[in-house]
Amino acid sequence: MSSLNNKLVVLVGGGGLVGRYAAQALLRAGARVRIAQRDPREAWFLKTQGGLGQTQFAACDMARPETLVRVVQGADAVVNLTGTFGKGEMQAVHIDGPAALARAAGAVPFVHLSAIGADPESEAAYGRTKGLGEAAVRSVHPQATILRPSTIFGREDHFTNRFAALIARLPVVPV
């Protein structure tokens, strides 16, 4: 029997590139999963991945801390999978929101997905805000697990696929 059997794991950003696969693995392990994101309807494709009642959906916004308190209620673990490249959103999504989410999680195990190269001193806004976000999370939840993956790509990504689409449009030049 899995140690996750019937445990409620909240995945904030659970319908995204990483979240969809994390949700599927958790559901297979017997966990109940609450997918929380700005528009949970965008994650409804995950409904069929688990048993009846095993998947829940909730709206939240990293820029609105009161919505974060609500989505973590009753959780056995909380995982933050949010991230953005939008310059106007980095403060809320990478720093303030994760700190508020970690605070709302309280003593519940908390996992925060950061990024390789996260550094508060980075010249790049993305790396700097991810580094500041890690520090903010640690300040309110010292036991948090922080993961720093490298570039993440897959069928649904918006990074590798953008370059593939550009290459596909290049004219074929005979050699």
Side-chain angles (χ1 to χ4, degrees), residues 42-164:
E42 293 177 1
W44 282 357
F45 64 90
L46 290 167
K47 280 183 179 183
T48 61
Q49 302 299 308
L52 186 61
Q54 195 178 1
T55 310
Q56 305 171 10
F57 298 88
C60 71
D61 187 334
M62 294 302 266
R64 297 179 48 222
E66 71 278 6
T67 66
L68 303 174
V69 171
R70 186 182 69 245
V71 299
V72 301
Q73 288 179 345
D76 294 299
V78 178
V79 181
N80 176 34
L81 300 170
T82 61
T84 185
F85 290 106
K87 293 198 186 295
E89 297 182 310
M90 287 186 189
Q91 179 74 34
V93 175
H94 294 169
I95 304 168
D96 300 336
L101 184 62
R103 190 175 302 107
V108 170
F110 186 79
V111 177
H112 176 68
L113 188 67
S114 185
I116 195 167
D119 181 352
E121 303 298 319
S122 176
E123 290 183 28
Y126 185 83
R128 182 175 54 258
T129 57
K130 281 293 197 174
L132 291 169
E134 287 181 11
V137 165
R138 283 261 188 249
S139 74
V140 296
H141 203 305
Q143 268 61 46
T145 298
I146 296 177
L147 305 175
R148 285 185 166 186
S150 184
T151 302
I152 299 171
F153 59 92
R155 281 187 298 229
E156 303 88 357
D157 76 35
H158 298 290
F159 180 73
T160 307
N161 285 314
R162 179 175 294 159
F163 288 107

